[in-house]
């Protein structure tokens, strides 16, 4: 049985690529909840809305045995794993089982994570024979750990995420980075410069969407954090970032930025362009 989140994603696929559909034709998950508990998490919002969990329950990861045991066919394009949770030390064994089921039938898999180094080391070891079918995409929205720990309270530090990227690169895997959402647009040039040597595919730049969801009841700290995000993703700020990096072949732009700078939006899902 599919979760409400995955059902909603599948319905959206019919209306054109956006979000995860820019990267994949299929998303696969095997856990409800995520210990990272990111404040902006869309999956958490949907799970709470559809009464799958309470906000307090979301950080308590629950592996779904039926999804771990599920067999997969060969899909028509790139598969993203996971999309509504992350790969953590708690669920790593289950995630490896699912990844092997996807890979053994020949799928190309995009592995997306705010990476724990111990998880990436194990994934590289366990999945080495499928190296040519895997693209890692690590979410790294800022270098500043104060910013990261506010928006992504239980996620790895910048140093650990960077080390994970370097390790995957050194092990011969294809690598990419998602700077979505940009959490520190002011210093994005330094972030791109620091990570680029270890990226074989692309660095994706994207905005934090639906800021209105945080509501007027936000405390002073959150209001300041939101104000910083808003300043960093005004149309003028986005156009300035685009001008500086539009000729960099490593940089790709998510849909909301494409709209601002006038890049055509692909009508087909999963092109990863």
């Amino acid at each position: 049985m599919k979760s409400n989140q995955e059902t909603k994603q599948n319905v959206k696929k019919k209306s054109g690529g956006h979000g995860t559909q820019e990267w994949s034709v299929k998303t696969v998950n095997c856990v409800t909840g995520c210990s990272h508990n990111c404040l902006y998490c869309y999956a958490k919002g949907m799970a709470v809305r559809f009464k799958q969990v309470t906000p307090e329950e979301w950080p308590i990861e629950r592996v779904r045995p039926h999804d771990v045991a599920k067999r997969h066919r060969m899909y028509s394009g790139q598969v993203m794993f996971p999309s509504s949770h992350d790969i953590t030390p708690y669920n790593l064994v289950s995630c490896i089982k699912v990844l092997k089921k996807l890979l053994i039938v020949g799928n190309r898999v995009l592995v997306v994570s705010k990476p724990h180094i111990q998880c990436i080391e194990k994934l590289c070891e366990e999945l080495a024979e499928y190296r040519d079918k895997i693209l890692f995409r690590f979410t790294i929205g800022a270098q500043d750990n104060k910013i990261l720990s506010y928006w992504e309270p239980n996620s790895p530090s910048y140093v650990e995420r960077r080390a994970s990227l370097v390790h995957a690169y050194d092990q011969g895997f294809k690598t990419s980075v998602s700077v979505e959402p940009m959490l520190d647009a002011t210093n994005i040039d330094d972030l791109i410069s620091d990570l680029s040597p270890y990226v074989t595919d692309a660095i994706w730049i994207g905005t934090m969407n639906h800021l209105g969801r945080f509501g007027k009841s936000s405390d002073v700290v959150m209001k300041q954090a939101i104000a910083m995000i808003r300043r960093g993703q005004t149309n003028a700020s986005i156009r300035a970032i685009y001008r500086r990096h539009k000729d960099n072949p490593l940089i790709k732009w998510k849909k909301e930025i494409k709209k601002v700078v006038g890049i055509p939006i692909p009508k087909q899902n999963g092109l990863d362009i």
Side-chain angles (χ1 to χ4, degrees), residues 12-14 22 38 43 53 67 76 111 114 127 131 142-143 145 157 184 191 211 243:
K12 284 184 175 181
K13 286 183 181 180
K14 298 177 182 179
E22 291 180 73
C38 301
V53 296
D67 284 326
S76 61
V111 180
K114 298 180 177 77
L127 304 177
R131 188 181 284 110
Q143 291 174 291
N145 283 322
S157 68
D184 186 13
L191 178 67
L211 286 169
R243 283 195 299 271

Side-chain angles (χ1 to χ4, degrees), residues 90-133:
Y90 173 79
N91 64 41
L92 177 60
V93 172
S94 296
C95 288
I96 289 173
K97 290 178 180 178
V98 174
L99 282 165
K100 286 184 175 179
K101 289 175 185 290
L102 286 165
L103 292 160
I104 199 168
V105 295
N107 283 299
R108 291 185 298 109
V109 181
L110 175 65
V111 180
V112 180
S113 182
K114 298 180 177 77
H116 296 260
I117 185 64
Q118 69 184 93
C119 294
I120 301 310
E121 289 174 345
K122 189 66 174 175
L123 286 171
C124 289
E125 176 186 343
E126 290 282 338
L127 304 177
E129 65 182 293
Y130 305 107
R131 188 181 284 110
D132 64 331
K133 295 291 185 181

Side-chain angles (χ1 to χ4, degrees), residues 40-173:
Y40 56 78
C41 181
Y42 176 79
K44 176 182 178 180
M46 295 303 294
V48 171
R49 176 183 171 187
F50 286 102
K51 303 187 186 303
Q52 291 177 286
V53 296
T54 66
E56 295 74 25
E57 290 171 335
W58 177 257
I60 304 169
E61 298 174 357
R62 292 178 289 157
V63 173
R64 304 195 297 261
H66 61 286
D67 284 326
V68 176
K70 181 179 178 181
R71 293 184 179 182
H72 289 277
R73 60 179 175 83
M74 180 72 173
Y75 297 107
S76 61
Q78 185 162 259
V79 180
M80 177 175 169
F81 177 88
S83 67
S84 63
H85 61 87
D86 211 325
I87 302 170
T88 69
Y90 173 79
N91 64 41
L92 177 60
V93 172
S94 296
C95 288
I96 289 173
K97 290 178 180 178
V98 174
L99 282 165
K100 286 184 175 179
K101 289 175 185 290
L102 286 165
L103 292 160
I104 199 168
V105 295
N107 283 299
R108 291 185 298 109
V109 181
L110 175 65
V111 180
V112 180
S113 182
K114 298 180 177 77
H116 296 260
I117 185 64
Q118 69 184 93
C119 294
I120 301 310
E121 289 174 345
K122 189 66 174 175
L123 286 171
C124 289
E125 176 186 343
E126 290 282 338
L127 304 177
E129 65 182 293
Y130 305 107
R131 188 181 284 110
D132 64 331
K133 295 291 185 181
I134 295 170
L135 170 59
F136 282 110
R137 182 156 296 155
F138 298 136
T139 301
I140 310 177
Q143 291 174 291
D144 188 329
N145 283 322
K146 290 182 179 179
I147 295 173
L148 290 176
S149 63
Y150 178 76
W151 287 107
E152 303 164 354
N154 302 320
S155 300
S157 68
Y158 176 75
V159 169
E160 183 170 2
R161 298 189 211 191
R162 185 182 184 278
S164 299
L165 176 69
V166 173
H167 181 78
Y169 175 87
D170 286 343
Q171 294 301 307
F173 285 82

Side-chain angles (χ1 to χ4, degrees), residues 89-273:
Y90 173 79
N91 64 41
L92 177 60
V93 172
S94 296
C95 288
I96 289 173
K97 290 178 180 178
V98 174
L99 282 165
K100 286 184 175 179
K101 289 175 185 290
L102 286 165
L103 292 160
I104 199 168
V105 295
N107 283 299
R108 291 185 298 109
V109 181
L110 175 65
V111 180
V112 180
S113 182
K114 298 180 177 77
H116 296 260
I117 185 64
Q118 69 184 93
C119 294
I120 301 310
E121 289 174 345
K122 189 66 174 175
L123 286 171
C124 289
E125 176 186 343
E126 290 282 338
L127 304 177
E129 65 182 293
Y130 305 107
R131 188 181 284 110
D132 64 331
K133 295 291 185 181
I134 295 170
L135 170 59
F136 282 110
R137 182 156 296 155
F138 298 136
T139 301
I140 310 177
Q143 291 174 291
D144 188 329
N145 283 322
K146 290 182 179 179
I147 295 173
L148 290 176
S149 63
Y150 178 76
W151 287 107
E152 303 164 354
N154 302 320
S155 300
S157 68
Y158 176 75
V159 169
E160 183 170 2
R161 298 189 211 191
R162 185 182 184 278
S164 299
L165 176 69
V166 173
H167 181 78
Y169 175 87
D170 286 343
Q171 294 301 307
F173 285 82
K174 297 186 288 292
T175 56
S176 58
V177 170
S178 172
V179 187
E180 185 192 22
M182 287 188 291
L183 298 176
D184 186 13
T186 301
N187 296 300
I188 194 167
D189 295 356
D190 291 338
L191 178 67
I192 291 171
S193 177
D194 196 39
L195 300 179
S196 290
Y198 310 103
V199 172
T200 67
D201 178 74
I203 298 175
W204 282 85
I205 311 297
T207 58
M208 186 184 295
N209 302 321
H210 312 296
L211 286 169
R213 77 185 112 163
F214 296 110
K216 296 180 180 179
S217 60
S218 303
D219 62 25
V220 173
V221 176
M222 176 166 277
K223 287 178 179 177
Q224 291 174 341
I226 292 171
M228 176 181 170
I229 297 294
R230 289 190 187 280
R231 287 194 298 272
Q233 58 185 46
T234 63
N235 287 354
S237 295
I238 287 172
R239 290 189 184 107
I241 292 169
Y242 177 73
R243 283 195 299 271
R244 296 197 301 274
H245 297 285
K246 64 183 176 68
D247 296 322
N248 184 340
L250 279 181
I251 304 301
K252 292 184 180 180
W253 312 94
K254 290 288 283 181
K255 183 176 181 179
E256 296 308 316
I257 291 183
K258 284 185 171 83
K259 289 179 180 178
V260 172
V261 301
I263 297 174
I265 297 169
K267 295 181 179 180
Q268 185 177 340
N269 292 344
L271 295 181
D272 210 9
I273 59 175

Side-chain angles (χ1 to χ4, degrees), residues 7-24:
T7 299
K8 189 174 183 68
Q9 288 175 340
N10 289 338
V11 170
K12 284 184 175 181
K13 286 183 181 180
K14 298 177 182 179
S15 61
H18 61 282
T20 61
Q21 294 143 37
E22 291 180 73
W23 294 345
S24 63

